[in-house]
Amino acid sequence: MSQRALILLVAAATLVPASASAAPSLPAAALLAPASACSGQSSASAPAAAQEAAMACLVDYARRRAGVPGLRRSRLLTRAAAGKAHDLLSCQQFSHTACGRAFTTRIDAAGYRYRLVGENLALGDAASGTPSVIMRAWLGSAEHRANLLRPSYRDQGIAMRPGGMPGYPHAHVWVDEFGAPAAP
């Protein structure tokens, strides 16, 4: 029996003022980190924390190559990302509004005060759930790429949770929350 590979993306969610522009466009291949730059990016069997660290490295590499600042890992956005991943799996809905909640619900509940936020989601099964494959898919999607490279974002929180989704019992659910904090 062959394993099927799958990557699902939903349009990236953003709550961004019109004046917050995205970084200039570069080919996706120019933004992908080599394995030597971000270890563990091709492992679907590594612990979640190692895969999340590899994804953070991939995001920062792409942002540096695009000429935009790297992102701080936010404890609050990481909590929000973990909560969203839980919602996706527990409600069995691959959506920015899983469980009937607005995409900002988990961000607000975590206490992250923002002036703008965005969210990327991905679901990979089998070998398609690795950080490098998910990153390649996000860079290939205009909306997800815009979130990854938006110069005004300063913080991010990443969560990867394995679990079953309808038709995909060994899925890796990815959530990347982006934010620009509100002025104090």
Side-chain angles (χ1 to χ4, degrees):
M1 175 185 279
S2 69
Q3 281 194 318
R4 58 185 166 168
L6 163 81
I7 301 173
L8 291 178
L9 302 174
V10 292
T14 56
L15 187 60
V16 179
S19 63
S21 64
S25 182
L26 291 172
L31 300 173
L32 290 170
S36 60
C38 297
S39 65
Q41 64 175 282
S42 298
S43 176
S45 62
Q51 292 187 60
E52 292 162 358
M55 182 62 80
C57 178
L58 289 166
V59 171
D60 277 345
Y61 182 92
R63 288 178 65 87
R64 284 191 311 274
R65 295 281 296 170
V68 296
L71 298 170
R72 297 177 298 229
R73 292 290 298 267
S74 163
R75 178 181 51 82
L76 299 176
L77 288 178
T78 298
R79 184 180 311 147
K84 174 57 73 81
H86 176 267
D87 288 349
L88 296 171
L89 290 167
S90 68
C91 293
Q92 296 288 286
Q93 296 175 330
F94 185 66
S95 167
H96 291 288
T97 57
C99 302
R101 297 181 175 123
F103 95 88
T104 56
T105 298
R106 289 294 190 164
I107 296 168
D108 294 333
Y112 184 80
R113 294 180 11 100
Y114 55 88
R115 62 182 173 85
L116 58 110
V117 288
E119 177 177 83
N120 282 0
L121 303 178
L123 175 110
D125 196 20
S128 66
T130 67
S132 61
V133 172
I134 297 301
M135 184 64 166
R136 187 175 298 114
W138 280 342
L139 288 170
S141 159
E143 297 91 356
H144 294 89
R145 180 186 178 114
N147 269 347
L148 288 165
L149 302 179
R150 192 168 311 282
S152 47
Y153 288 147
R154 295 292 178 256
D155 302 323
Q156 80 171 329
I158 299 170
M160 187 289 293
R161 296 294 179 268
M165 293 292 282
Y168 303 96
H170 304 290
H172 282 192
V173 172
W174 285 93
V175 179
D176 199 343
E177 305 285 16
F178 304 95

